[in-house]
Amino acid sequence: MFDLRSIVAGIILMLKKYTCINITIYANTTDEDYKRGILVLPLIGFVIGFVAFFIAGLKFFYDSFFIGVLILIYFNIITKSVNIKDTYTSLNYLLKTKDNNDQITGMVGIILINLLYFSLIGIIPSTGLIIMPVAGYSNLILLSFIIKSNKDDTSVMKYCEKYHIISAFVISFLLTVIFNYRLIISLSLTYMITGIVISLLDERIGKITDSFEGFIIEITQALFLIITYMMYL
């Protein structure tokens, strides 16, 4: 049943979670609102990426180094760096150092990811910046089908159902075809590689937490950039 109030509430919930947009909802929200919001996650990624695409267009007027810095700052501001923070937490948990220093792995990880973003966002086709966030949010939904570990402590994956997975898959590939069909290979390989790796790590992880969702988004985006760069060499 079409419920406009629920759809709008769901969109607002996703915007509050994954972007710096903070809109107050003067009404009680339900799990159904949240589920409807998850459906639009790939589209939220599309909007984020589309703005980055326009910023990248300024490279015709300004130095590419400056534009790369600008886009990186934009991504961190618009997303509140929430996924980077989650990646920091997840890396510390997954790759604990021998001396039990819980901060080193996470710090090195987020520095490398940001350096990767900075290095590649100015090299790959600008349309890749549109698809990158779409791939990140879509893959979070798609991997909910592959991961068999306990997802009770997650905020998105535990709500994902079959129609969410189908929707994320269709939206991500449709947008890729519309803006740059050559990126279909990059997107497909990104989904395949992350699916294989996550399925192998599934038993080790044991229980999926909320922070692991942000880790999945960031790793997916980084891998998409790497594969796209290699495809365009």
Side-chain angles (χ1 to χ4, degrees):
M1 181 179 178
F2 182 81
D3 187 346
L4 183 59
R5 186 214 65 82
S6 181
I7 294 173
V8 172
I11 293 173
I12 293 174
L13 287 172
M14 291 300 109
L15 288 173
K16 291 179 69 173
K17 177 172 177 58
Y18 287 110
T19 74
C20 61
I21 300 173
N22 189 10
I23 303 174
T24 303
I25 303 177
Y26 295 99
N28 294 326
T29 57
T30 64
D31 288 349
E32 287 303 314
D33 298 335
Y34 209 85
K35 289 179 180 180
R36 288 186 170 93
I38 294 173
L39 279 173
V40 303
L41 258 183
L43 295 178
I44 291 176
F46 165 69
V47 174
I48 292 173
F50 202 69
V51 174
F53 170 75
F54 272 104
I55 297 174
L58 296 175
K59 68 175 64 173
F60 294 105
F61 306 100
Y62 299 99
D63 182 74
S64 58
F65 177 85
F66 171 73
I67 297 302
V69 172
L70 201 61
I71 293 174
L72 185 59
I73 292 173
Y74 159 73
F75 274 128
N76 280 284
I77 291 177
I78 193 65
T79 63
K80 302 181 297 186
S81 298
V82 63
N83 297 324
I84 287 290
K85 295 173 184 175
D86 287 344
T87 300
Y88 170 81
T89 302
S90 297
L91 286 175
N92 286 332
Y93 173 75
L94 292 172
L95 304 172
K96 293 180 180 178
T97 56
K98 293 181 179 180
D99 58 0
N100 292 322
N101 190 326
D102 293 336
Q103 297 182 351
I104 292 179
T105 306
M107 290 177 65
V108 172
I110 60 175
I111 289 173
L112 290 176
I113 288 175
N114 277 285
L115 285 175
L116 178 69
Y117 282 153
F118 175 71
S119 301
L120 298 182
I121 56 181
I123 300 175
I124 67 167
S126 298
T127 48
L129 296 175
I130 299 176
I131 306 303
M132 184 188 77
V134 176
Y137 293 117
S138 296
N139 204 28
L140 173 64
I141 298 171
L142 296 176
L143 289 177
S144 66
F145 177 74
I146 295 176
I147 295 175
K148 304 304 180 184
S149 298
N150 190 330
K151 297 188 283 285
D152 290 342
D153 289 341
T154 61
S155 58
V156 171
M157 299 182 84
K158 68 179 179 182
Y159 291 112
C160 290
E161 299 180 12
K162 188 174 181 180
Y163 65 90
H164 290 108
I165 296 168
I166 295 173
S167 175
F169 185 85
V170 171
I171 290 174
S172 59
F173 276 98
L174 181 60
L175 289 173
T176 304
V177 170
I178 291 173
F179 287 97
N180 190 341
Y181 69 92
R182 289 180 294 179
L183 294 175
I184 289 178
I185 298 176
S186 299
L187 185 64
S188 300
L189 289 174
T190 299
Y191 287 163
M192 290 171 60
I193 293 172
T194 52
I196 292 171
V197 172
I198 292 299
S199 63
L200 292 174
L201 292 175
D202 199 5
E203 290 185 5
R204 177 178 177 179
I205 296 170
K207 188 174 184 179
I208 306 297
T209 61
D210 186 44
S211 64
F212 196 73
E213 294 181 323
F215 172 72
I216 289 175
I217 294 171
E218 287 295 337
I219 293 302
T220 299
Q221 293 180 162
L223 182 59
F224 176 79
L225 285 178
I226 293 172
I227 295 174
T228 301
Y229 170 70
M230 293 176 65
M231 293 291 294
Y232 277 83
L233 277 178

